[in-house]
Amino acid sequence: MLVLVAPGQGAQTPGFLTPWLDLPGVSGRLAEWSAVSGLDLVHYGTEADAETIRDTAVAQPLLVAAGLVSAYALFDDPRAEIPARVGAVAGHSVGELTAAALSGVLSDEDAVALVRKRGLAMAEAAAVTETGMSAVLGGDPEQVLAHLEKLGLTPANINGAGQIVAAGTAEQLAALSAEKPEKARVMPLKVAGAFHTRHMAPAVAKLESAVKDLTVSDPRVPYLSNKDGRAVASGPDAVERLVNQVSNPVRWDLCMETFQELGVTALLEVSPAGTLTGLAKRALPGVKTLALKSPADLDAARELIAEHAAPARSAAE
């Protein structure tokens, strides 16, 4: 069984969209998505510097666009083959919008338009107080969680494989760097706010309004939620979870537990890949992984699909 996964914020790097523009149809697709999002995705994905694309309102649409472009490049007929051949989809944080489009819950256009509104709302919420996030690597998980609680920090991402992401104010994060949990390292992340915490509550209200008129469908591919790692059967339920997700913790550890329960044999991370495959290599021994970082990885990715995805069905079937 093959799963497709989509990374979250912080995975973007300057120029990461550039090689994808050489593929047929990609420029036109990005132009369409730029129009619906009000953001020049080609410019920001090819020419903008690291600080510019760190902006939440820019980074999030870029990530969803790159994830969709790279996923669709894997298949001759993505809309037919993804539901028929992929065992499940999941995304980390904003990657859930990518997964929602891949699963058919939202159209590509609605996913890109919504993620732009999400990014703007979260950036506005982040501007109220100086906040951020830091990865805590290693240490005993229970001790790490107790230490974060002591400092007033929120475990915003519980990623498994020995990684918990703490979120809170700049002062709280400084205290964490000065007083690390036993046997743990602390690494500040390139994000602009304390995402998936109470600091994002204002963004939830804006997203609730933004999704009211969306056309929503039930998933055509099992869609795993960051809330609890479980597959979501209903489109409206999936969208409700997407809205509330911005102020709730990301439980990627539970998503990976569900991968194990499903009997997943291969995990393919769409562009800009690397983070989730790294976690999977440590938490899912025996599962083959591939990070689709650029078109240079497409041949290897297609070989993985041929080996682990459900067989392609003929038109007669």
Side-chain angles (χ1 to χ4, degrees), residues 30-57:
L30 290 174
E32 292 174 4
W33 297 342
S34 293
V36 300
S37 66
L39 191 73
D40 186 343
L41 295 167
V42 172
H43 165 72
Y44 285 107
T46 61
E47 299 176 8
D49 61 22
E51 186 61 27
T52 300
I53 62 173
R54 181 175 177 267
D55 181 349
T56 302

Side-chain angles (χ1 to χ4, degrees), residues 1 8 26 28 42 58 70 74 76 89 93 133 157 171 176 186 200 217 260 264 266 277 279-280 287 296 313:
M1 177 187 281
V26 169
V42 172
V58 173
S70 59
L74 294 167
D76 293 330
V89 296
S93 187
M133 305 175 82
N157 303 164
E171 292 81 5
L176 174 64
V186 174
M200 292 293 110
S217 301
Q260 286 185 308
V264 167
T277 47
L279 292 171
V287 173
R313 294 198 292 254

